[in-house]
Amino acid sequence: MEREIPSNNDSTTLEVNGLHKSYGELDVLKGVSLSAQEGDVVTMIGASGSGKSTFLRCINLLELPTAGEIKLQGEAVEFKSGKDSLIPSNKRQVERFRAQLGMVFQSFNLWQHMTVMQNVIEGPVQVLKKSKAEALEVAEQILNRVGLWEKRNEYPAFMSGGQQQRAAIARALAMEPSVMLFDEPTSALDPELVGEVLKVIQSLAEEGRTMIMVTHEMKFARDVSTQVIYLHEGIIEEQGPPSQVFNNPKSERCKQFVQSVH
Amino acid sequence: MEWFPGEWYWIPEYFPKLLDGLWLTIKLLVLSIVIGMSLAIPIGLVQVTGPRPLAWLAKGFCTVIRGTPLLIQLWLIYYGIGSFFPQWGLNETFLWPYLRAGFPYAVFAFSISVAGYVGEVMRGAFRGVPKGELEAARSIGMSPFQILRRVWLPRALQNVFPTLTGEFILTLKATPLASTITVFEVYGIGSQIRQETYLIYEPLLLIALIYLCLAGPLIMMFNYLENKIPKRVS
Protein backbone atom coordinates (compact mmCIF):
# COMPACT_ATOMS: atom_id res chain seq x y z
CA MET A 1 0.00 0.00 0.00
CA GLU A 2 1.16 3.45 -0.83
CA ARG A 3 1.66 5.82 2.01
CA GLU A 4 -0.95 8.47 2.01
CA ILE A 5 0.14 12.06 1.88
CA PRO A 6 -1.22 13.71 4.99
CA SER A 7 -3.54 16.57 4.20
CA ASN A 8 -1.98 19.92 4.87
CA ASN A 9 -4.79 20.94 7.16
CA ASP A 10 -4.66 18.75 10.24
CA SER A 11 -7.74 20.12 11.93
CA THR A 12 -10.10 18.94 9.18
CA THR A 13 -12.55 16.83 11.13
CA LEU A 14 -14.79 15.74 8.31
CA GLU A 15 -14.08 15.82 4.65
CA VAL A 16 -16.34 14.65 1.86
CA ASN A 17 -15.14 14.73 -1.71
CA GLY A 18 -17.18 14.45 -4.88
CA LEU A 19 -20.05 12.47 -3.45
CA HIS A 20 -22.40 10.97 -6.02
CA LYS A 21 -25.59 9.10 -5.32
CA SER A 22 -28.07 7.76 -7.80
CA TYR A 23 -31.10 5.54 -7.55
CA GLY A 24 -31.17 3.83 -10.92
CA GLU A 25 -31.56 6.61 -13.48
CA LEU A 26 -32.18 9.28 -10.90
CA ASP A 27 -29.10 11.24 -9.85
CA VAL A 28 -29.72 12.66 -6.42
CA LEU A 29 -26.22 13.87 -5.68
CA LYS A 30 -23.89 14.96 -8.48
CA GLY A 31 -20.58 15.45 -6.79
CA VAL A 32 -21.04 17.21 -3.47
CA SER A 33 -18.02 18.06 -1.35
CA LEU A 34 -17.73 19.42 2.12
CA SER A 35 -14.97 20.16 4.53
CA ALA A 36 -15.58 20.85 8.21
CA GLN A 37 -12.89 21.97 10.61
CA GLU A 38 -13.09 21.33 14.30
CA GLY A 39 -15.88 23.50 15.73
CA ASP A 40 -17.49 24.26 12.39
CA VAL A 41 -21.24 24.34 12.09
CA VAL A 42 -22.16 23.60 8.50
CA THR A 43 -25.79 24.09 7.56
CA MET A 44 -27.26 22.64 4.42
CA ILE A 45 -30.25 24.35 2.96
CA GLY A 46 -32.24 23.81 -0.20
CA ALA A 47 -35.64 22.83 -1.50
CA SER A 48 -37.15 19.41 -0.82
CA GLY A 49 -35.56 16.86 -3.13
CA SER A 50 -32.34 18.82 -3.48
CA GLY A 51 -30.47 15.90 -1.92
CA LYS A 52 -29.43 17.46 1.36
CA SER A 53 -30.82 14.71 3.56
CA THR A 54 -29.42 12.04 1.28
CA PHE A 55 -26.03 13.70 1.54
CA LEU A 56 -26.19 13.68 5.33
CA ARG A 57 -27.25 10.04 5.36
CA CYS A 58 -24.35 9.15 3.07
CA ILE A 59 -21.88 10.60 5.56
CA ASN A 60 -22.62 7.89 8.13
CA LEU A 61 -23.41 5.35 5.42
CA LEU A 62 -27.09 4.89 6.13
CA GLU A 63 -27.18 5.42 2.38
CA LEU A 64 -24.34 4.16 0.25
CA PRO A 65 -22.87 6.64 -2.23
CA THR A 66 -22.30 5.71 -5.86
CA ALA A 67 -18.95 7.48 -5.90
CA GLY A 68 -16.91 9.78 -3.75
CA GLU A 69 -14.74 9.86 -0.69
CA ILE A 70 -15.54 10.30 2.99
CA LYS A 71 -12.82 11.10 5.50
CA LEU A 72 -13.16 11.40 9.23
CA GLN A 73 -10.14 12.90 10.97
CA GLY A 74 -8.00 12.05 8.01
CA GLU A 75 -9.10 8.41 7.78
CA ALA A 76 -11.05 7.50 4.64
CA VAL A 77 -13.91 5.01 4.54
CA GLU A 78 -12.71 1.90 2.73
CA PHE A 79 -14.97 1.16 -0.21
CA LYS A 80 -15.16 -1.50 -2.85
CA SER A 81 -17.39 -1.15 -5.86
CA GLY A 82 -20.72 -2.93 -5.76
CA LYS A 83 -23.63 -3.45 -8.13
CA ASP A 84 -25.57 -0.25 -7.46
CA SER A 85 -23.25 1.70 -5.22
CA LEU A 86 -19.98 1.65 -3.36
CA ILE A 87 -19.88 -0.94 -0.61
CA PRO A 88 -17.86 -0.45 2.56
CA SER A 89 -15.25 -3.18 2.67
CA ASN A 90 -14.54 -2.94 6.37
CA LYS A 91 -17.64 -3.38 8.52
CA ARG A 92 -15.75 -2.73 11.75
CA GLN A 93 -14.53 0.58 10.37
CA VAL A 94 -18.08 1.57 9.44
CA GLU A 95 -19.30 0.79 12.96
CA ARG A 96 -16.41 2.77 14.43
CA PHE A 97 -17.14 5.73 12.16
CA ARG A 98 -20.82 5.69 12.95
CA ALA A 99 -20.07 5.69 16.67
CA GLN A 100 -18.20 8.94 16.12
CA LEU A 101 -20.93 10.51 14.01
CA GLY A 102 -23.85 11.27 16.29
CA MET A 103 -26.99 11.42 14.21
CA VAL A 104 -30.23 13.15 15.14
CA PHE A 105 -33.20 12.28 12.97
CA GLN A 106 -36.23 14.24 11.90
CA SER A 107 -38.56 11.67 13.47
CA PHE A 108 -36.48 11.23 16.69
CA ASN A 109 -36.31 7.43 16.32
CA LEU A 110 -35.98 6.78 20.02
CA TRP A 111 -36.23 3.13 20.96
CA GLN A 112 -39.75 2.81 22.22
CA HIS A 113 -39.13 -0.18 24.47
CA MET A 114 -36.56 1.70 26.52
CA THR A 115 -36.84 4.60 28.94
CA VAL A 116 -35.04 7.85 28.17
CA MET A 117 -32.16 6.80 30.40
CA GLN A 118 -31.92 3.37 28.77
CA ASN A 119 -31.90 5.04 25.35
CA VAL A 120 -29.04 7.29 26.41
CA ILE A 121 -26.80 4.63 27.99
CA GLU A 122 -27.45 2.00 25.31
CA GLY A 123 -24.72 3.14 22.92
CA PRO A 124 -22.03 3.78 25.54
CA VAL A 125 -22.65 0.38 27.16
CA GLN A 126 -23.20 -1.76 24.07
CA VAL A 127 -20.98 -0.05 21.50
CA LEU A 128 -18.32 1.77 23.51
CA LYS A 129 -18.29 -1.05 26.12
CA LYS A 130 -18.34 1.35 29.03
CA SER A 131 -19.43 0.15 32.44
CA LYS A 132 -23.03 0.87 33.29
CA ALA A 133 -22.02 3.05 36.23
CA GLU A 134 -19.82 5.17 34.03
CA ALA A 135 -22.50 5.46 31.35
CA LEU A 136 -25.08 6.48 33.95
CA GLU A 137 -22.80 9.18 35.25
CA VAL A 138 -22.29 10.68 31.81
CA ALA A 139 -25.99 10.31 31.02
CA GLU A 140 -26.92 12.24 34.15
CA GLN A 141 -24.86 15.23 33.04
CA ILE A 142 -26.23 15.12 29.52
CA LEU A 143 -29.85 14.73 30.57
CA ASN A 144 -29.50 17.64 32.94
CA ARG A 145 -28.08 19.65 30.14
CA VAL A 146 -30.97 19.00 27.74
CA GLY A 147 -33.41 19.50 30.62
CA LEU A 148 -34.73 15.96 30.78
CA TRP A 149 -33.35 14.65 34.08
CA GLU A 150 -36.87 14.51 35.54
CA LYS A 151 -38.04 12.52 32.55
CA ARG A 152 -35.23 9.95 32.69
CA ASN A 153 -37.51 7.04 33.60
CA GLU A 154 -40.22 7.96 31.13
CA TYR A 155 -40.91 6.00 27.95
CA PRO A 156 -40.71 8.01 24.71
CA ALA A 157 -44.37 7.43 23.82
CA PHE A 158 -45.37 9.48 26.86
CA MET A 159 -43.33 12.54 25.94
CA SER A 160 -43.87 15.52 23.67
CA GLY A 161 -42.05 15.77 20.36
CA GLY A 162 -39.71 18.41 21.72
CA GLN A 163 -38.81 16.25 24.69
CA GLN A 164 -38.28 13.24 22.45
CA GLN A 165 -35.98 15.18 20.17
CA ARG A 166 -33.97 16.47 23.13
CA ALA A 167 -33.72 12.88 24.38
CA ALA A 168 -32.51 11.85 20.92
CA ILE A 169 -29.87 14.58 21.04
CA ALA A 170 -28.84 13.31 24.49
CA ARG A 171 -28.55 9.79 23.07
CA ALA A 172 -26.26 11.04 20.30
CA LEU A 173 -24.20 13.16 22.73
CA ALA A 174 -23.66 10.23 25.08
CA MET A 175 -21.48 8.63 22.39
CA GLU A 176 -19.14 11.62 22.65
CA PRO A 177 -19.11 11.96 18.88
CA SER A 178 -16.55 14.00 16.99
CA VAL A 179 -19.23 15.24 14.59
CA MET A 180 -22.97 15.64 15.10
CA LEU A 181 -25.30 15.17 12.14
CA PHE A 182 -28.73 16.78 12.34
CA ASP A 183 -31.29 15.74 9.74
CA GLU A 184 -34.04 18.38 9.88
CA PRO A 185 -34.24 18.09 13.66
CA THR A 186 -37.23 20.41 14.04
CA SER A 187 -39.28 19.60 10.95
CA ALA A 188 -41.54 17.09 12.68
CA LEU A 189 -42.24 19.33 15.65
CA ASP A 190 -45.21 21.49 16.45
CA PRO A 191 -44.19 25.16 16.06
CA GLU A 192 -44.31 25.87 19.79
CA LEU A 193 -41.83 23.04 20.48
CA VAL A 194 -39.21 24.08 17.92
CA GLY A 195 -37.60 26.65 20.21
CA GLU A 196 -36.63 24.27 23.02
CA VAL A 197 -34.82 21.99 20.55
CA LEU A 198 -33.06 24.81 18.72
CA LYS A 199 -31.88 26.16 22.06
CA VAL A 200 -30.16 22.88 22.84
CA ILE A 201 -28.57 22.70 19.39
CA GLN A 202 -27.41 26.28 19.69
CA SER A 203 -25.73 25.59 23.02
CA LEU A 204 -23.87 22.70 21.36
CA ALA A 205 -22.73 25.01 18.58
CA GLU A 206 -21.54 27.55 21.12
CA GLU A 207 -19.40 25.04 22.97
CA GLY A 208 -17.58 24.40 19.70
CA ARG A 209 -18.98 21.09 18.55
CA THR A 210 -18.50 20.16 14.95
CA MET A 211 -21.92 19.83 13.40
CA ILE A 212 -23.49 19.26 10.01
CA MET A 213 -27.13 20.22 9.92
CA VAL A 214 -29.87 20.00 7.35
CA THR A 215 -32.56 22.49 8.22
CA HIS A 216 -35.35 24.71 7.02
CA GLU A 217 -34.92 27.12 9.94
CA MET A 218 -33.25 29.96 8.04
CA LYS A 219 -32.92 32.37 10.91
CA PHE A 220 -31.33 29.68 13.02
CA ALA A 221 -28.96 28.71 10.20
CA ARG A 222 -27.91 32.32 9.86
CA ASP A 223 -27.28 32.65 13.60
CA VAL A 224 -25.30 29.50 14.37
CA SER A 225 -23.55 28.49 11.15
CA THR A 226 -19.94 29.04 10.28
CA GLN A 227 -20.65 27.82 6.77
CA VAL A 228 -23.85 27.48 4.76
CA ILE A 229 -24.30 25.26 1.73
CA TYR A 230 -27.18 25.78 -0.65
CA LEU A 231 -27.92 22.63 -2.56
CA HIS A 232 -29.96 22.52 -5.74
CA GLU A 233 -30.72 19.29 -7.60
CA GLY A 234 -27.72 17.52 -6.14
CA ILE A 235 -25.21 20.28 -6.82
CA ILE A 236 -23.77 22.93 -4.52
CA GLU A 237 -25.06 26.22 -5.94
CA GLU A 238 -23.80 28.49 -3.23
CA GLN A 239 -21.44 28.02 -0.36
CA GLY A 240 -19.92 30.36 2.16
CA PRO A 241 -20.38 32.13 5.46
CA PRO A 242 -24.03 32.90 6.35
CA SER A 243 -23.55 36.59 5.61
CA GLN A 244 -22.70 35.75 2.01
CA VAL A 245 -25.30 33.04 1.37
CA PHE A 246 -28.16 34.90 2.99
CA ASN A 247 -27.36 38.52 2.20
CA ASN A 248 -25.25 38.48 -0.87
CA PRO A 249 -25.54 35.22 -2.81
CA LYS A 250 -23.92 34.95 -6.22
CA SER A 251 -26.50 32.47 -7.43
CA GLU A 252 -29.83 33.93 -8.47
CA ARG A 253 -31.61 30.70 -7.46
CA CYS A 254 -30.13 30.81 -3.99
CA LYS A 255 -31.22 34.41 -3.63
CA GLN A 256 -34.79 33.48 -4.53
CA PHE A 257 -34.72 30.50 -2.20
CA VAL A 258 -33.54 32.35 0.90
CA GLN A 259 -36.02 35.12 0.21
CA SER A 260 -38.95 32.76 -0.31
CA VAL A 261 -38.33 30.80 2.87
CA HIS A 262 -38.10 33.87 5.07
CA MET B 1 -68.49 -33.79 50.20
CA GLU B 2 -72.01 -35.26 50.40
CA TRP B 3 -73.51 -32.01 49.20
CA PHE B 4 -71.40 -31.93 46.05
CA PRO B 5 -72.95 -33.74 43.07
CA GLY B 6 -71.10 -36.51 41.29
CA GLU B 7 -68.78 -39.37 42.20
CA TRP B 8 -65.34 -38.24 43.33
CA TYR B 9 -64.08 -41.20 45.42
CA TRP B 10 -61.41 -41.98 42.77
CA ILE B 11 -59.44 -38.80 43.19
CA PRO B 12 -57.11 -39.95 46.02
CA GLU B 13 -56.38 -43.18 44.18
CA TYR B 14 -55.43 -41.47 40.92
CA PHE B 15 -53.83 -38.41 42.48
CA PRO B 16 -50.19 -39.49 41.92
CA LYS B 17 -50.93 -40.40 38.31
CA LEU B 18 -52.64 -37.08 37.71
CA LEU B 19 -49.59 -35.29 39.09
CA ASP B 20 -47.35 -37.26 36.73
CA GLY B 21 -49.67 -36.35 33.86
CA LEU B 22 -49.68 -32.72 34.85
CA TRP B 23 -45.89 -32.66 34.99
CA LEU B 24 -45.73 -34.25 31.53
CA THR B 25 -48.16 -31.65 30.14
CA ILE B 26 -46.07 -28.82 31.56
CA LYS B 27 -42.83 -30.34 30.22
CA LEU B 28 -44.38 -30.80 26.80
CA LEU B 29 -45.71 -27.25 26.74
CA VAL B 30 -42.55 -25.55 27.98
CA LEU B 31 -40.22 -27.53 25.72
CA SER B 32 -42.46 -26.91 22.69
CA ILE B 33 -42.62 -23.18 23.39
CA VAL B 34 -38.88 -22.84 23.98
CA ILE B 35 -37.83 -24.93 20.97
CA GLY B 36 -40.65 -23.55 18.83
CA MET B 37 -39.78 -19.94 19.63
CA SER B 38 -36.10 -20.41 18.93
CA LEU B 39 -37.09 -21.74 15.51
CA ALA B 40 -39.80 -19.13 14.95
CA ILE B 41 -37.44 -16.18 15.40
CA PRO B 42 -35.10 -17.10 12.51
CA ILE B 43 -38.09 -18.28 10.44
CA GLY B 44 -39.73 -14.88 10.84
CA LEU B 45 -36.49 -12.98 10.39
CA VAL B 46 -35.31 -14.54 7.11
CA GLN B 47 -38.66 -13.74 5.55
CA VAL B 48 -37.92 -10.07 6.14
CA THR B 49 -34.17 -9.94 5.56
CA GLY B 50 -33.70 -12.66 2.97
CA PRO B 51 -31.77 -14.29 1.38
CA ARG B 52 -34.59 -15.16 -0.98
CA PRO B 53 -34.22 -18.96 -1.08
CA LEU B 54 -34.28 -19.15 2.72
CA ALA B 55 -37.26 -16.81 2.81
CA TRP B 56 -39.17 -19.08 0.43
CA LEU B 57 -38.21 -22.12 2.46
CA ALA B 58 -39.46 -20.46 5.65
CA LYS B 59 -42.66 -19.31 3.96
CA GLY B 60 -43.27 -22.83 2.61
CA PHE B 61 -42.68 -24.33 6.04
CA CYS B 62 -45.17 -21.97 7.67
CA THR B 63 -47.77 -22.63 4.97
CA VAL B 64 -47.51 -26.41 5.32
CA ILE B 65 -47.57 -26.37 9.11
CA ARG B 66 -50.47 -23.94 9.31
CA GLY B 67 -52.36 -25.60 6.51
CA THR B 68 -52.48 -29.13 7.90
CA PRO B 69 -54.08 -30.51 11.06
CA LEU B 70 -51.78 -30.91 14.02
CA LEU B 71 -53.17 -34.38 14.67
CA ILE B 72 -52.07 -35.53 11.24
CA GLN B 73 -48.63 -33.96 11.68
CA LEU B 74 -48.31 -35.72 15.01
CA TRP B 75 -49.22 -39.10 13.53
CA LEU B 76 -47.06 -38.65 10.47
CA ILE B 77 -44.12 -37.85 12.69
CA TYR B 78 -44.72 -40.62 15.19
CA TYR B 79 -45.77 -43.44 12.87
CA GLY B 80 -43.95 -42.10 9.82
CA ILE B 81 -40.52 -41.09 11.06
CA GLY B 82 -40.81 -43.49 13.97
CA SER B 83 -41.21 -46.47 11.64
CA PHE B 84 -37.90 -45.82 9.90
CA PHE B 85 -35.80 -46.48 12.95
CA PRO B 86 -36.47 -50.24 13.21
CA GLN B 87 -35.79 -50.53 9.47
CA TRP B 88 -32.38 -49.04 10.02
CA GLY B 89 -31.74 -51.57 12.75
CA LEU B 90 -31.89 -49.00 15.51
CA ASN B 91 -34.23 -51.24 17.51
CA GLU B 92 -31.19 -53.35 18.34
CA THR B 93 -29.32 -50.43 19.94
CA PHE B 94 -29.40 -48.64 23.27
CA LEU B 95 -31.24 -45.79 21.55
CA TRP B 96 -34.36 -47.81 21.06
CA PRO B 97 -36.09 -47.09 24.39
CA TYR B 98 -35.85 -43.39 23.54
CA LEU B 99 -36.89 -43.77 19.93
CA ARG B 100 -39.87 -45.87 20.93
CA ALA B 101 -41.21 -43.41 23.48
CA GLY B 102 -43.92 -41.05 22.27
CA PHE B 103 -42.73 -38.01 24.21
CA PRO B 104 -39.83 -36.88 21.98
CA TYR B 105 -42.08 -37.17 18.91
CA ALA B 106 -44.73 -35.11 20.66
CA VAL B 107 -42.17 -32.43 21.59
CA PHE B 108 -40.93 -32.42 18.00
CA ALA B 109 -44.42 -32.13 16.50
CA PHE B 110 -45.56 -29.40 18.90
CA SER B 111 -42.32 -27.48 18.48
CA ILE B 112 -42.62 -27.32 14.70
CA SER B 113 -46.26 -26.38 15.11
CA VAL B 114 -45.32 -23.45 17.36
CA ALA B 115 -42.49 -22.62 14.94
CA GLY B 116 -44.91 -22.52 12.00
CA TYR B 117 -47.56 -20.38 13.63
CA VAL B 118 -45.28 -18.08 15.57
CA GLY B 119 -42.84 -17.86 12.64
CA GLU B 120 -45.61 -16.23 10.66
CA VAL B 121 -46.44 -13.91 13.56
CA MET B 122 -42.78 -12.97 13.92
CA ARG B 123 -42.50 -12.13 10.23
CA GLY B 124 -45.11 -9.44 10.68
CA ALA B 125 -43.62 -8.42 14.01
CA PHE B 126 -40.13 -7.87 12.58
CA ARG B 127 -41.55 -5.99 9.63
CA GLY B 128 -43.65 -3.82 11.92
CA VAL B 129 -40.73 -2.33 13.83
CA PRO B 130 -40.28 1.26 12.60
CA LYS B 131 -37.33 1.48 10.23
CA GLY B 132 -36.14 4.64 11.94
CA GLU B 133 -35.47 2.83 15.21
CA LEU B 134 -33.29 0.33 13.39
CA GLU B 135 -31.51 3.17 11.61
CA ALA B 136 -30.88 4.85 14.94
CA ALA B 137 -29.28 1.62 16.13
CA ARG B 138 -27.11 1.46 13.02
CA SER B 139 -26.21 5.12 13.37
CA ILE B 140 -24.65 4.68 16.80
CA GLY B 141 -22.44 1.90 15.46
CA MET B 142 -24.21 -1.27 16.56
CA SER B 143 -23.34 -4.48 14.74
CA PRO B 144 -26.17 -6.31 12.96
CA PHE B 145 -26.34 -8.89 15.76
CA GLN B 146 -26.47 -6.16 18.43
CA ILE B 147 -29.28 -4.45 16.55
CA LEU B 148 -31.23 -7.70 16.49
CA ARG B 149 -30.63 -8.49 20.14
CA ARG B 150 -31.07 -5.03 21.62
CA VAL B 151 -33.63 -3.34 19.38
CA TRP B 152 -35.20 -5.36 16.59
CA LEU B 153 -36.19 -8.51 18.48
CA PRO B 154 -37.40 -6.90 21.71
CA ARG B 155 -39.41 -4.32 19.76
CA ALA B 156 -40.89 -7.05 17.56
CA LEU B 157 -41.82 -9.21 20.54
CA GLN B 158 -43.35 -6.25 22.31
CA ASN B 159 -45.64 -5.60 19.37
CA VAL B 160 -47.00 -9.14 19.20
CA PHE B 161 -47.04 -10.07 22.86
CA PRO B 162 -50.81 -10.55 23.12
CA THR B 163 -50.79 -12.67 19.96
CA LEU B 164 -47.99 -14.82 21.34
CA THR B 165 -49.89 -15.35 24.58
CA GLY B 166 -52.82 -16.57 22.51
CA GLU B 167 -50.62 -18.96 20.53
CA PHE B 168 -49.15 -20.44 23.68
CA ILE B 169 -52.58 -20.95 25.24
CA LEU B 170 -53.74 -22.67 22.07
CA THR B 171 -50.68 -24.88 22.22
CA LEU B 172 -51.48 -25.80 25.82
CA LYS B 173 -54.98 -26.80 24.81
CA ALA B 174 -53.66 -28.85 21.88
CA THR B 175 -51.44 -30.97 24.12
CA PRO B 176 -54.18 -33.61 24.75
CA LEU B 177 -53.48 -34.75 21.16
CA ALA B 178 -50.22 -36.18 22.49
CA SER B 179 -52.24 -38.84 24.30
CA THR B 180 -52.95 -40.38 20.88
CA ILE B 181 -49.28 -41.32 20.59
CA THR B 182 -48.95 -42.93 24.03
CA VAL B 183 -47.93 -39.80 25.90
CA PHE B 184 -49.88 -39.98 29.13
CA GLU B 185 -50.14 -36.33 29.89
CA VAL B 186 -52.97 -35.11 32.05
CA TYR B 187 -55.72 -35.67 29.49
CA GLY B 188 -54.42 -39.19 28.82
CA ILE B 189 -54.65 -39.94 32.52
CA GLY B 190 -58.19 -38.58 32.48
CA SER B 191 -59.14 -41.01 29.71
CA GLN B 192 -57.60 -43.85 31.66
CA ILE B 193 -59.67 -42.89 34.72
CA ARG B 194 -62.80 -42.85 32.62
CA GLN B 195 -62.11 -46.29 31.24
CA GLU B 196 -61.35 -47.80 34.62
CA THR B 197 -64.13 -46.19 36.67
CA TYR B 198 -66.87 -46.08 33.99
CA LEU B 199 -67.46 -42.47 35.01
CA ILE B 200 -68.11 -40.10 32.11
CA TYR B 201 -68.33 -36.54 33.34
CA GLU B 202 -66.43 -36.30 36.59
CA PRO B 203 -62.94 -37.01 35.18
CA LEU B 204 -63.63 -34.69 32.25
CA LEU B 205 -64.64 -31.90 34.61
CA LEU B 206 -61.54 -32.35 36.72
CA ILE B 207 -59.30 -32.34 33.63
CA ALA B 208 -61.00 -29.20 32.32
CA LEU B 209 -60.40 -27.56 35.70
CA ILE B 210 -56.73 -28.55 35.59
CA TYR B 211 -56.29 -26.94 32.14
CA LEU B 212 -57.98 -23.82 33.41
CA CYS B 213 -55.56 -23.72 36.34
CA LEU B 214 -52.66 -24.02 33.90
CA ALA B 215 -53.95 -21.40 31.48
CA GLY B 216 -54.84 -18.86 34.16
CA PRO B 217 -51.35 -18.35 35.60
CA LEU B 218 -49.86 -18.54 32.11
CA ILE B 219 -52.07 -15.66 30.97
CA MET B 220 -51.35 -13.69 34.13
CA MET B 221 -47.61 -14.19 33.71
CA PHE B 222 -47.66 -12.97 30.12
CA ASN B 223 -49.89 -10.03 30.99
CA TYR B 224 -47.42 -9.06 33.69
CA LEU B 225 -44.53 -9.24 31.22
CA GLU B 226 -46.50 -7.29 28.64
CA ASN B 227 -47.34 -4.52 31.07
CA LYS B 228 -43.76 -4.11 32.21
CA ILE B 229 -43.39 -1.68 29.31
CA PRO B 230 -46.30 0.71 29.41
CA LYS B 231 -48.09 1.38 26.17
CA ARG B 232 -49.79 4.61 25.40
CA VAL B 233 -53.46 4.16 24.68
CA SER B 234 -54.44 6.75 22.16
Side-chain angles (χ1 to χ4, degrees), chain A residues 162-173:
Chain A
Q163 289 168 337
Q164 288 190 53
Q165 192 60 300
R166 283 185 284 144
I169 293 171
R171 175 175 67 180
L173 278 176

Side-chain angles (χ1 to χ4, degrees), chain A residues 57 60-62 95 98-99 101 105 109-114 122-123 126-127 129 155 157-158 171 175, chain B residues 132-144 146 149-151 154-155 158 228-232:
Chain A
R57 292 166 55 83
N60 67 354
L61 303 161
L62 288 180
E95 283 158 18
R98 282 178 177 156
L101 295 163
F105 299 85
N109 296 345
L110 291 170
W111 300 305
Q112 300 286 316
H113 61 301
M114 297 182 190
E122 181 70 9
Q126 298 294 329
V127 178
K129 310 289 180 201
Y155 284 90
F158 295 86
R171 175 175 67 180
M175 296 293 289
Chain B
E133 287 181 45
L134 302 179
E135 267 182 359
R138 285 165 71 199
S139 82
I140 63 162
M142 282 192 185
S143 68
Q146 278 179 322
R149 190 171 59 89
R150 301 292 307 173
V151 179
R155 278 289 275 130
Q158 185 197 10
K228 269 183 104 169
I229 294 170
K231 270 226 169 99
R232 198 160 95 158

Side-chain angles (χ1 to χ4, degrees), chain A residues 68-182:
Chain A
E69 185 189 42
I70 300 165
K71 272 184 176 173
L72 188 61
Q73 278 153 344
E75 184 186 349
V77 178
E78 297 164 31
F79 283 119
K80 59 185 179 200
S81 47
K83 194 159 60 108
D84 307 312
S85 63
L86 296 176
I87 292 171
S89 50
N90 182 345
K91 293 208 166 76
R92 281 282 153 76
Q93 189 201 32
V94 171
E95 283 158 18
R96 191 158 47 79
F97 269 46
R98 282 178 177 156
Q100 290 180 60
L101 295 163
M103 181 130 180
V104 176
F105 299 85
Q106 182 178 347
S107 48
F108 331 132
N109 296 345
L110 291 170
W111 300 305
Q112 300 286 316
H113 61 301
M114 297 182 190
T115 62
V116 169
M117 183 56 104
Q118 288 166 339
N119 266 279
V120 175
I121 64 170
E122 181 70 9
V125 172
Q126 298 294 329
V127 178
L128 304 179
K129 310 289 180 201
K130 283 191 186 176
S131 73
K132 201 173 169 195
E134 197 184 342
L136 284 169
E137 211 179 295
V138 177
E140 181 180 341
Q141 282 173 21
I142 294 172
L143 285 174
N144 268 319
R145 170 166 191 186
V146 300
L148 283 178
W149 176 243
E150 284 74 29
K151 292 273 175 190
R152 64 191 178 280
N153 294 323
E154 195 64 273
Y155 284 90
F158 295 86
M159 306 199 311
S160 75
Q163 289 168 337
Q164 288 190 53
Q165 192 60 300
R166 283 185 284 144
I169 293 171
R171 175 175 67 180
L173 278 176
M175 296 293 289
E176 289 161 9
S178 43
V179 179
M180 295 275 284
L181 307 173
F182 291 89

Side-chain angles (χ1 to χ4, degrees), chain B residues 66-143:
Chain B
R66 296 182 345 138
T68 54
L70 179 53
L71 183 63
I72 293 178
Q73 293 164 16
L74 193 65
W75 284 7
L76 283 176
I77 286 166
Y78 181 62
Y79 297 110
I81 298 177
S83 67
F84 280 113
F85 296 126
Q87 289 179 21
W88 295 337
L90 286 173
N91 52 346
E92 307 284 325
T93 69
F94 71 98
L95 285 169
W96 183 237
Y98 303 103
L99 295 174
R100 203 179 45 177
F103 186 71
Y105 295 93
V107 170
F108 182 66
F110 281 94
S111 296
I112 63 165
S113 171
V114 171
Y117 279 93
V118 177
E120 192 65 20
V121 173
M122 288 311 293
R123 179 183 64 90
F126 279 121
R127 187 159 287 166
V129 174
K131 235 183 102 206
E133 287 181 45
L134 302 179
E135 267 182 359
R138 285 165 71 199
S139 82
I140 63 162
M142 282 192 185
S143 68

Side-chain angles (χ1 to χ4, degrees), chain A residues 178-191:
Chain A
S178 43
V179 179
M180 295 275 284
L181 307 173
F182 291 89
D183 186 7
E184 302 196 27
T186 57
S187 296
L189 296 175
D190 292 336

